[in-house]
Amino acid sequence: MRKKILFSTIFAGLLLWACSEDFTEKPATGALSDEALQNALGVDLKLTAAYSAMDGERINRQGEGVAAGGDNWWTDVVSDDAHRGSTDGDNTALFQVETLDWQTGNNWFLARWSALYGGVNRANAVLDLINQIEEGDFTTQEGEAYFLRGYYNFELQKFYGNVPFLTVENLVNQEFNQPNPGPIWAEIEADFQAAIDRLGNDIVVGRANAWVAKAFLGKVYLYQGKYEQALPLFNDVINNGPYSLNEQFVDNFNAAGENGPESMFAIQFASDDGRSFNGNGAGTLNFPGGGPLGTCCGFYQPTQDLANAYQTDGSGLPLLDSYAATDVANDYGINSDEPFTPHTGPLDPRIDYTIGRRGIDYNGFGIHPGKEWIRATFGDISGPYLPKKNMYQADEVDANRGTGGWGSDWSGINYNVMRFADVLLMAAEAATEQASPNLPLALEYVNRVRNRAKNMTPVQTVDGTGDAANYQIEPYASFGSQDFARKAIRFERRLELGMEGHRTFDLRRWGVTTTVLPEYYANETRTITNFGPKVGAYSATYDLIPIPVDAIGLSGGALSQNPGY
């Protein structure tokens, strides 16, 4: 098993602020005095702990543990990209998330809230400690702390919409019960700008730098529709920064490409001999239900709708308007010992690095046999596919496979919170949506992403005789209008970033959930016939996750619930 330097969670139990991360008062597990920490080592320890909160693993966390992590995988089940997976009766709370039976006491909603405010408090603790030290230069560490506070608050804003902003003063005075009158965009912008002003440009694995902070500030502007402010930041990162696309798309999801030129900011997971405390515990359910390694638990299955999106038109371009009219051939309802012929029509090659399909090699483990590796029954709503981006490559099992507390898999595969392809596509979006659209620039950025997919090595047949499917992809010749460019860019984000925890937030910020998702429910029911009858009706209320009722209760009435709940 590989071992690498990580943000250890050991210090979480030693540091004083752990008692306040849950909006309640609990005795500290252990504490070091401020005086003992007022030095470079103390700052580094607290900063390390602030980074470590990204994976959601910490003392006194609340809610469903696998919902706390920074990969946001479970939010995809609210979108048209993923089903919850497994059997309908396995983890009822997540089944309720997918089927829109949302309860304010759902422990999945609480888990992410708790984890993110734990991160905010740790970042504030770093800033507070630096303020107490009279000697030494901690400009960089201060910039990292501002970046992390900005990141955690941005995640809170994306999830819940109306959240309290906790300051250093709130931490010092133990004043955690703050109101949530509305969005905190201005505070998030200020934190990322403070990070930019303090951070250098050098790449330090697992840490933020000025380029990363610029990309995140651009993303914050993009989410608010401030395209004229977002684009210069993205262009600076693209044209002057040290990042580029990997030659191989798959290198974003394996050990060989870890922390490569495309990885801008990643959660640094690792596996170890024995129990892997630094593995991806939040993703422990998301492996085949059995499969080539006898893994658990069959969660996080791609949708038929996502598979359909990878169809191309015979000239290598996506079916922007008609992809949902026809289905990629699937084996839903067909047992592994029954005959099945995989899809023969033209497909974007990224499909088979994203979705595990019967008849196609599964990450080097051989031909995916279909139902034999699917835990869900034909009576469940999860469908016939497996995820691939989070699953080990066969030749890297020893390097990436770790073990959790009950024998579960805790993967050592990094999660890219921000990768360069994402920045290219966000820049293309900003160039298209600004008051004076720059469609040639948007075309250039989108085609950089598509040309990588065209020139990469696609998934091969297991006997090595050629491509595993009829792959056809080409760049766009032009963007003839703003409307066409908008449609192409949004579609490209799905093709490139599918099953990476982005889709729900994209649909929400574009304001299209109430149109896209009901259409998806109807289309998906063509394949999974009992899906439509089990899912509720989508409304704009679901564009924000409810404020957890536990947090409202612990706040003493300071917090207010989101509209509609």
Side-chain angles (χ1 to χ4, degrees):
M1 298 289 185
R2 74 181 165 152
K3 299 182 180 180
K4 57 187 178 182
I5 298 173
L6 290 177
F7 309 125
S8 173
T9 59
I10 294 173
F11 304 109
L14 297 176
L15 300 176
L16 189 58
W17 71 91
C19 63
S20 61
E21 290 181 350
D22 297 329
F23 282 79
T24 187
E25 293 184 4
K26 298 180 181 179
T29 303
L32 293 174
S33 68
D34 283 342
E35 291 75 15
L37 291 168
Q38 289 177 8
N39 49 60
L41 177 59
V43 171
D44 187 61
L45 292 182
K46 282 201 171 185
L47 186 58
T48 296
Y51 276 105
S52 78
M54 293 182 66
D55 69 0
E57 298 292 330
R58 65 177 182 82
I59 291 174
N60 295 333
R61 73 179 180 194
Q62 296 179 317
E64 171 59 65
V66 295
D71 56 6
N72 292 339
W73 69 267
W74 61 273
T75 66
D76 277 340
V77 312
V78 184
S79 78
D80 48 1
D81 269 10
H83 292 295
R84 183 211 54 168
S86 186
T87 58
D88 289 356
D90 187 4
N91 200 307
T92 301
L94 186 55
F95 181 80
Q96 291 175 327
V97 172
E98 180 175 5
T99 58
L100 302 179
D101 180 15
W102 287 17
Q103 310 296 321
T104 59
N106 190 304
N107 60 357
W108 288 72
F109 302 153
L110 175 62
R112 195 72 179 119
W113 174 280
S114 173
L116 290 169
Y117 272 112
V120 168
N121 285 335
R122 293 185 184 190
N124 276 333
V126 177
L127 295 171
D128 176 49
L129 179 60
I130 291 172
N131 289 340
Q132 298 176 50
I133 302 175
E134 297 181 358
E135 297 181 358
D137 182 2
F138 297 98
T139 303
T140 299
Q141 294 90 332
E142 186 178 41
E144 290 180 82
Y146 277 119
F147 171 85
L148 288 170
R149 190 172 71 176
Y151 163 75
Y152 292 125
N153 276 314
F154 182 39
E155 290 290 293
L156 284 161
Q157 181 67 55
K158 285 163 51 183
F159 271 76
Y160 305 97
N162 301 296
V163 294
F165 180 77
L166 299 184
T167 66
V168 173
E169 291 72 22
N170 294 146
L171 176 75
V172 172
N173 297 322
Q174 300 283 292
E175 297 171 343
F176 299 107
N177 296 334
Q178 298 298 314
N180 58 328
I184 56 171
W185 289 117
E187 292 85 351
I188 297 168
E189 291 175 11
D191 276 353
F192 282 132
Q193 186 60 59
I196 292 169
D197 294 340
R198 291 164 174 79
L199 291 172
N201 292 329
D202 293 343
I203 294 175
V204 178
V205 171
R207 300 266 176 155
N209 61 29
W211 299 115
V212 173
K214 288 177 182 179
F216 271 93
L217 181 56
K219 187 172 184 178
V220 169
Y221 287 142
L222 190 76
Y223 266 62
Q224 299 174 81
K226 297 180 178 180
Y227 304 113
E228 281 78 9
Q229 291 168 266
L231 184 57
L233 288 164
F234 292 140
N235 282 339
D236 189 18
V237 173
I238 292 167
N239 296 324
N240 302 311
Y243 305 102
S244 61
L245 295 173
N246 292 327
E247 290 186 8
Q248 300 298 325
F249 178 68
V250 70
D251 282 346
N252 289 297
F253 320 108
N254 59 22
E258 222 168 56
N259 299 313
E262 189 166 345
S263 178
M264 295 180 62
F265 190 61
I267 302 177
Q268 302 291 310
F269 292 117
S271 59
D272 299 290
D273 298 323
R275 185 171 179 183
S276 296
F277 290 99
N278 289 315
N280 184 358
T284 192
L285 304 178
N286 303 337
F287 296 91
L293 297 175
T295 49
C296 187
C297 295
F299 280 60
Y300 199 31
Q301 293 182 236
T303 62
Q304 181 66 43
D305 195 81
L306 179 61
N308 292 345
Y310 288 97
Q311 297 176 97
T312 58
D313 64 2
S315 65
L317 296 178
L319 305 175
L320 298 180
D321 295 311
S322 60
Y323 81 92
T326 57
D327 292 329
V328 169
N330 67 81
D331 63 321
Y332 184 73
I334 302 173
N335 287 308
S336 292
D337 59 358
E338 297 174 314
F340 170 74
T341 302
H343 194 74
T344 58
L347 296 169
D348 185 311
R350 288 171 290 188
I351 186 174
D352 289 324
Y353 286 119
T354 304
I355 299 174
R357 301 188 293 139
R358 180 174 173 180
I360 306 296
D361 179 70
Y362 189 69
N363 286 9
F365 290 100
I367 292 291
H368 180 347
K371 179 65 184 72
E372 183 180 317
W373 286 2
I374 304 293
R375 186 180 184 187
T377 72
F378 297 141
D380 299 312
I381 65 171
S382 295
Y385 299 116
L386 290 175
K388 296 188 83 170
K389 289 181 176 179
N390 65 298
M391 176 62 178
Y392 320 112
Q393 299 294 317
D395 60 356
E396 294 181 351
V397 172
D398 287 343
N400 273 326
R401 191 179 189 188
T403 304
W406 43 275
S408 56
D409 280 66
W410 281 39
S411 169
I413 301 171
N414 283 2
Y415 171 71
N416 288 305
V417 180
M418 177 82 75
R419 59 184 178 95
F420 188 66
D422 189 4
V423 173
L424 286 169
L425 295 176
M426 288 191 292
E429 183 176 340
T432 298
E433 299 293 354
Q434 64 183 358
S436 299
N438 187 340
L439 300 187
L441 182 64
L443 177 70
E444 175 192 339
Y445 288 161
V446 170
N447 279 344
R448 285 177 67 172
V449 175
R450 291 188 64 78
N451 279 324
R452 189 265 296 278
K454 175 184 177 180
N455 295 323
M456 72 182 185
T457 302
V459 173
Q460 300 293 289
T461 58
V462 293
D463 61 7
T465 57
D467 294 348
N470 179 15
Y471 301 127
Q472 296 182 26
I473 183 172
E474 294 293 338
Y476 288 98
S478 65
F479 284 165
S481 69
Q482 184 187 43
D483 286 344
F484 182 83
R486 178 183 298 118
K487 188 182 302 181
I489 292 163
R490 292 180 178 184
F491 210 88
E492 195 66 26
R493 284 191 63 82
R494 191 180 192 193
L495 299 175
E496 177 71 17
L497 302 170
M499 302 297 287
E500 295 183 47
H502 298 286
R503 180 64 172 172
T504 289
F505 303 108
D506 280 345
L507 293 176
R508 288 175 173 178
R509 68 186 178 84
W510 293 330
V512 299
T513 52
T514 55
T515 301
V516 169
L517 294 179
E519 292 176 356
Y520 152 64
Y521 302 150
N523 294 333
E524 194 75 358
T525 303
R526 288 200 308 260
T527 298
I528 306 171
T529 55
N530 64 348
F531 176 64
K534 292 182 180 180
V535 70
Y538 195 91
S539 72
T541 296
Y542 300 114
D543 284 349
L544 293 180
I545 288 176
I547 307 299
V549 68
D550 295 47
I552 293 175
L554 289 169
S555 76
L559 292 173
S560 300
Q561 186 54 270
N562 281 330
Y565 293 105

